[in-house]
């Protein structure tokens, strides 16, 4: 099923030729949608409403037809709301709050007390129990979810940083029925506090673990990325780079960085390519730095220096620690928790020089949609996602691969056909780095490595120019490979 662009203006159902639902039926759809967003599961939402799963599936189908949006898509994390569905969540919470107040007049006093807050610029929408949950489920005088939400609302934008961050952690981590994903502005504010060093260490771990355990939404990822780019001082308008290429390899990776050779080919074709990342594989802590230097790729010490290198050589590598020591430290929390954090997704969308195109990797289906939707929310013009590698966009030419794209807000897919796998090369007695460099210099012949470099460069060229096709991009990349030593 094609995903609908989150920014598309949807006409009313009548304008699309759909039969108008009776008012009572429309209210039933709102109740069902609210339960679906809270539970993230058709079966659990059905149980909450006292319906069977088939009946709830039919209601979901009607909701999709009403809004012209998938609403919930199946991913590795279960049923995940689309960005458009996330925009409805808080409005449904407001409807739920008003409904519960109408049903339970005994809480009128509590409702009046909700306006007595201590902060400025308060949010006007509060959390509330799902529309399908009746007050009879609560014990007498038991604190209700909206009571918890009112307490969080009292922490305004003028509150102390630790209080503000505590509010964001509680908003997203209070549990089913009492929690919700952060809005873009809330995610932006929360991550800004981390980047500015104003968070307690316990809060840092709590926010990152809660978001990672529950799973980021595209809106949250866009908010975290927005805060990170402001922290880096990234330019607002594109023009300093043509292609952004994140290279955040896993510390456990021992794969040779053939993608660096592909990036060099793309730069030789006249495109300005910015690589950025952490040193991942290899036998030394500066493996990527060393490999970049061997190809004549400048290793920049700042964003400004990277910009200068692009003007002179059309390619540069910018380590994360040079961009932001704080982001580098936060990414290093992996070593303390032995698990990834939301930073692993954020760094792929940093785009420090606001390039017109980005080439990233995402091996899980849910991550592909997450990054593509977040990129659309951030306004990235072009995005290419190789769906066969985990951390760095590097082709695997011996199996068919789907490349996921974003071109001026429109998602698409490109099928990359596979090659016949050649015979394995015999041991040479060289170290992995020596062999990698020898292939580039033509001192060693490795058909598999050459195919990897050429197909990776072709994916980058296709991302830069969506009007071409992969066969032509592969042919051009092959010619660049043959002429590489004459540049």
């Amino acid at each position: 099923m094609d995903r609908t662009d989150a920014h598309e203006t949807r006409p009313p159902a009548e304008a699309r030729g759909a039969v108008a639902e009776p008012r009572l039926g429309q209210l039933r759809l709102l109740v069902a949608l609210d339960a679906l967003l809270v539970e993230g599961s058709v079966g659990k939402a059905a149980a909450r409403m006292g319906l069977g799963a088939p009946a709830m599936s039919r209601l979901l189908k009607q909701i999709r037809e009403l809004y012209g949006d998938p609403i919930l898509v199946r991913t590795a994390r279960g049923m995940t709301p689309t960005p458009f569905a996330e925009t409805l969540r808080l409005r449904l919470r407001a409807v739920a709050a008003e409904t519960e107040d109408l049903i339970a007049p005994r809480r009128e006093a509590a409702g009046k007390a909700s306006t007595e807050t201590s902060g400025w610029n308060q949010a006007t929408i509060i959390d509330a129990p799902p529309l399908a949950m009746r007050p009879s489920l609560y014990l007498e005088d038991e604190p209700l979810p909206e009571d918890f939400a009112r307490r969080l609302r009292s922490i305004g934008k003028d509150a102390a940083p630790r209080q503000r961050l505590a509010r964001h952690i509680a908003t997203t981590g209070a549990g089913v029925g009492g929690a919700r994903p952060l809005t873009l502005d809330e995610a932006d504010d929360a991550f800004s506090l981390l980047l500015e060093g104003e968070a307690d260490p316990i809060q840092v771990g709590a926010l990152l673990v809660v978001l990672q355990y529950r799973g980021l939404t595209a809106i949250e990822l866009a908010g975290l990325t927005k805060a990170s780019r402001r922290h880096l001082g990234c330019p607002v308008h594109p023009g300093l780079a043509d292609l952004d290429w994140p290279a955040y390899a896993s510390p456990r990776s021992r794969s040779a960085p053939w993608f660096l050779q592909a990036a060099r080919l793309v730069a030789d074709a006249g495109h300005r390519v910015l690589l950025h990342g952490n040193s991942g594989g290899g036998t030394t802590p500066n493996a990527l730095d060393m490999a970049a230097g061997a190809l004549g790729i400048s290793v920049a010490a700042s964003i400004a220096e990277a910009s200068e290198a692009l003007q002179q050589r059309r390619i540069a590598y910018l380590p994360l620690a040079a961009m932001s020591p704080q982001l580098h430290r936060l990414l290093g929390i992996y070593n303390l928790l032995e698990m990834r954090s939301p930073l692993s997704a954020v760094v792929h969308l940093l785009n420090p020089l606001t390039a017109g195109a980005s080439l990233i990797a995402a091996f899980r289906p849910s991550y592909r949609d997450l990054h593509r939707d977040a990129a659309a929310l951030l306004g990235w013009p072009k995005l290419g996602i190789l769906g066969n590698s985990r951390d760095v966009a590097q082709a695997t030419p011996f199996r068919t691969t789907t490349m996921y794209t974003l071109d001026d807000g429109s998602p698409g897919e490109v099928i990359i056909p596979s090659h016949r796998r050649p015979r394995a090369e015999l041991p040479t007695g060289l170290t992995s780095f020596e062999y990698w460099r020898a292939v580039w210099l033509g001192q060693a012949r490795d058909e598999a490595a050459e195919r990897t470099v050429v197909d990776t460069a072709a994916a980058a060229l296709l991302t830069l120019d969506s009007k071409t096709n992969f066969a032509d991009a592969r042919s051009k990349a092959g010619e660049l490979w043959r002429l590489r030593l004459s540049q």
Side-chain angles (χ1 to χ4, degrees):
M1 178 180 295
D2 292 336
R3 297 174 62 82
T4 303
D5 181 16
H7 300 290
E8 179 185 354
T9 301
R10 292 169 177 79
E14 292 82 359
R16 298 195 305 270
V19 177
E21 279 279 338
R23 291 293 183 184
L24 187 58
Q26 291 177 340
L27 289 176
R28 189 167 186 246
L29 293 182
L30 290 182
V31 174
L33 176 56
D34 188 54
L36 285 165
L37 291 177
V38 168
E39 295 290 356
S41 163
V42 172
K44 292 180 179 179
R48 181 184 290 280
M49 293 186 63
L51 299 174
M56 180 57 73
S57 295
R58 287 192 294 272
L59 288 174
L60 176 57
K61 181 181 179 181
Q62 294 176 44
I63 293 168
R64 286 169 168 165
E65 293 173 350
L66 176 66
Y67 289 110
D69 185 86
I71 301 297
L72 292 174
V73 293
R74 191 173 300 282
T75 69
R77 300 195 307 269
M79 298 294 284
T80 302
T82 64
F84 172 72
E86 287 292 354
T87 66
L88 302 178
R89 188 188 294 269
L90 290 184
R91 297 175 69 183
L92 286 168
R93 300 286 82 228
V95 173
E98 183 65 19
T99 301
E100 291 299 313
D101 282 340
L102 288 172
I103 294 175
R106 64 183 176 83
R107 290 175 19 233
E108 182 179 356
K112 292 180 179 179
S114 67
T115 60
E116 299 174 3
T117 55
S118 60
W120 295 92
N121 299 321
Q122 304 295 329
T124 58
I125 298 175
I126 65 171
D127 284 334
L131 288 164
M133 182 183 293
R134 295 299 303 270
S136 59
L137 298 177
Y138 296 111
L139 300 175
E140 187 68 27
D141 297 326
E142 178 184 358
L144 300 177
E146 60 264 43
D147 298 327
F148 174 68
R150 288 191 189 96
R151 182 162 55 85
L152 294 184
R153 272 190 70 209
S154 69
I155 303 174
K157 292 185 178 180
D158 60 334
R162 291 187 180 183
Q163 282 185 296
R164 284 160 52 200
L165 189 54
R167 171 188 175 180
H168 298 317
I169 295 170
T171 295
T172 190
V176 175
R180 60 167 173 81
L182 300 176
T183 65
L184 192 147
D185 288 340
E186 288 171 339
D188 184 342
D189 183 54
F191 208 57
S192 294
L193 295 173
L194 267 65
L195 295 173
E196 293 164 7
E198 297 181 324
D200 183 273
I202 295 177
Q203 290 182 312
V204 173
L207 179 66
L208 296 181
V209 169
V210 164
L211 290 177
Q212 183 70 14
Y213 178 76
R214 195 211 64 220
L216 282 176
T217 67
I219 291 175
E220 288 173 329
L221 178 54
L224 299 181
T225 304
K226 184 179 177 182
S228 300
R229 285 178 47 79
R230 187 172 58 252
H231 169 74
L232 294 175
C234 300
V236 176
H237 302 291
L240 298 177
D242 299 316
L243 180 64
D244 185 71
W245 200 323
Y248 294 86
S250 167
R252 295 189 175 92
S253 174
R254 294 297 179 265
S255 300
W258 300 112
F259 68 91
L260 282 179
Q261 297 186 9
R264 174 64 190 273
L265 294 183
V266 175
D268 289 343
H271 303 286
R272 293 166 299 172
V273 181
L274 177 65
L275 299 127
H276 55 93
N278 273 351
S279 298
T283 58
T284 72
N286 295 312
L288 286 183
D289 302 45
M290 183 170 65
L295 292 176
I297 299 174
S298 299
V299 180
S302 66
I303 291 181
E305 190 173 310
S307 178
E308 292 177 6
L310 290 188
Q311 306 312 311
Q312 297 173 4
R313 295 188 176 183
R314 296 193 300 272
I315 189 167
Y317 170 64
L318 181 60
L320 181 63
M323 281 193 286
S324 167
Q326 179 68 349
L327 269 174
H328 183 258
R329 284 191 292 266
L330 289 172
L331 192 63
I333 289 179
Y334 174 91
N335 298 320
L336 296 176
L337 303 177
E338 285 298 323
M339 61 177 285
R340 295 192 167 209
S341 76
L343 260 295
S344 298
V346 170
V347 291
H348 289 281
L349 295 179
L350 283 177
N351 197 358
L353 290 180
T354 318
S358 297
L359 181 63
I360 68 174
F363 72 106
R364 290 182 179 173
S366 58
Y367 289 177
R368 299 164 198 160
D369 291 334
L370 177 69
H371 283 90
R372 190 160 58 177
D373 289 341
L377 291 168
L378 290 166
W380 292 161
K382 296 179 183 294
L383 177 72
I385 305 175
L386 284 179
N388 58 341
S389 54
R390 183 175 184 179
D391 300 301
V392 185
Q394 179 169 294
T396 53
F398 309 114
R399 69 171 184 262
T400 301
T401 302
T402 301
M403 180 176 172
Y404 302 85
T405 63
L406 183 72
D407 187 9
D408 291 330
S410 299
E413 296 181 0
V414 176
I415 303 299
I416 301 177
S418 63
H419 291 281
R420 174 189 57 82
R421 183 179 292 277
R423 292 168 54 184
E425 299 295 324
L426 297 175
T428 61
L430 301 175
T431 66
S432 58
F433 171 72
E434 291 170 340
Y435 184 74
W436 175 86
R437 188 168 182 269
V439 171
W440 174 259
L441 295 175
Q443 298 167 350
R445 179 67 190 277
D446 187 324
E447 185 180 350
E450 292 175 14
R451 291 290 190 186
T452 299
V453 174
V454 168
D455 274 19
T456 303
L461 293 172
L462 185 63
T463 300
L464 286 161
D465 183 8
S466 57
K467 294 184 177 61
T468 189
N469 57 61
F470 190 80
D472 290 342
R474 180 182 269 172
S475 177
K476 182 176 181 179
E479 184 65 18
L480 290 169
W481 173 259
R482 287 187 290 273
L483 298 176
R484 71 191 183 283
L485 299 180
S486 62
Q487 295 289 332

